[in-house]
Amino acid sequence: MHQLNSQNQALLLIDLQNEGGTSAVPGMDEIIKKTANVIKVCRQKNIPIIYTRHINRGDGIGLANLEPVDQNGKPLYYNTNTDSIDIIEELKNQPGDIIVDKYRYSGFHESSLDLMLKSLNIKNLIVGGVLTDVCVLSTVMDAYYRDYQINLVKDICGTTTVGAHMAAVCMMGNWVYDISIFDADQICNKLLGEPYHAWESSMPDELQFTPDNLREVYNKLTANCTV
């Protein structure tokens, strides 16, 4: 099992904002509840908590290609002139937490995230958030490119369809070679020094999922390592 050291790990929560906390994400209420439990344990263990916020300037400057806008060219989503960019109330940041604003899917793209992690001497990331197949996937891949070890908490992630969520988790499992995949209760157990289980890849492209067997393969991610 990959070792998590309380001195070099951080909880990275991706885009858990009012905009993303809608009925568009199946099971969002449960995601929020489980995320709150993970945050609570991380605070108990003095693990740094970092939030990313996806933002689009209200004046429309710097938008991504074909970003949806209204008739006046103002962004429809994550508009900085609205409260849609705020962290969900149930998961609200506290003094000492770090908020990193970003203008593209990846939390690392032209942001201060890498600087914050290096300043804290972080090596291991505990990751959750939305959307699994967009900002979570992009951020995890960029973190892997920078040699951070990833601990993905799959049931505090979500996206617009269950299939897209499962596919994104399986892609990360296949290609992030040092990833560990947890459920929320199991990462909490690990942080508290209690018995836990997690899934870890033993070879590249191990999962070999297809449209027909995706759910069956995804269910294998519940555990293959027990401590």
Side-chain angles (χ1 to χ4, degrees), residues 20 41 43 62 67 76 123 150 163-164 166 197 203 205 220 225:
V41 172
R43 294 201 191 285
E67 177 71 32
L76 294 178
K123 305 297 183 184
I150 305 299
M166 290 191 295
H197 58 252
M203 67 181 74
D205 202 18
K220 294 179 181 178
C225 295

Side-chain angles (χ1 to χ4, degrees), residues 3 13 39 49 66 94 114 124 132 164 187 194 198 212 216:
Q3 297 301 311
L13 298 174
I39 290 173
I49 298 173
L66 297 183
Q94 294 184 7
D114 199 36
N124 311 98
T132 319
I187 192 67
E194 300 174 0
D212 298 321
E216 177 185 352

Side-chain angles (χ1 to χ4, degrees), residues 2 144 172-179 200-205:
H2 302 304
Y144 180 59
M172 288 183 272
N174 269 337
W175 300 115
V176 179
Y177 297 160
D178 61 356
I179 198 170
E200 292 181 357
S201 174
S202 61
M203 67 181 74
D205 202 18

Side-chain angles (χ1 to χ4, degrees), residues 125-144:
L125 294 175
I126 303 166
V127 180
V130 297
L131 298 169
T132 319
D133 57 338
V134 186
C135 296
V136 174
L137 176 61
S138 299
T139 302
V140 165
M141 296 308 293
D142 271 357
Y144 180 59

